[in-house]
Amino acid sequence: MAIILANKIKKPSDGITSELPEDWDFPSFYYAGYGMFSAGLSVGLTNIASGVSVGIAGSSCAIADAQDSSLFVKILIVEIFASALGIFGIIVGIIESNAANFPIASMSQE
């Protein structure tokens, strides 16, 4: 992803100024930036929590399955609930990022 973004960054050529127009709604752009940050943070933290819970549940479920094989279906349901945390985090991140409205062009042409 960083390589793709790095290829999109170019030096300003002649005729392009680095000044932003005065009529831009800067507070909404700050809101969009913090919205994208919070979306990424919430997705990352929920996926970390999902990974930890799957690891803990998987370890204990493997031990329980080794002792009593009739618990397999119940153990499988516990694993599914533990992994669903990551899906919920992605859904919340998508909802949060939909509120972000960025400008179409950050540089104005003269």
Side-chain angles (χ1 to χ4, degrees):
M1 189 70 174
I3 295 170
I4 294 170
L5 291 175
N7 288 334
K8 292 185 181 281
I9 298 173
K10 297 178 181 170
K11 286 177 79 174
S13 61
D14 294 333
I16 296 177
T17 63
S18 61
E19 294 182 14
L20 299 174
E22 294 295 327
D23 60 345
W24 277 21
D25 188 17
F26 289 105
S28 70
F29 298 144
Y30 278 116
Y31 175 78
Y34 283 116
M36 291 299 288
F37 175 72
S38 67
L41 190 65
S42 65
V43 169
L45 291 177
T46 54
N47 281 318
I48 288 174
S50 174
V52 169
S53 65
V54 165
I56 293 171
S59 173
S60 60
C61 291
I63 293 171
D65 187 39
Q67 290 179 357
D68 186 8
S69 61
S70 66
L71 296 174
F72 179 74
V73 175
K74 296 175 186 175
I75 290 170
L76 186 63
I77 292 172
V78 170
E79 285 288 325
I80 291 170
F81 284 137
S83 64
L85 290 173
I87 296 171
F88 293 142
I90 291 172
I91 292 169
V92 169
I94 290 171
I95 292 170
E96 287 177 349
S97 67
N98 281 337
N101 293 322
F102 287 102
I104 295 172
S106 63
M107 302 290 185
S108 62
Q109 295 232 353
E110 290 183 7

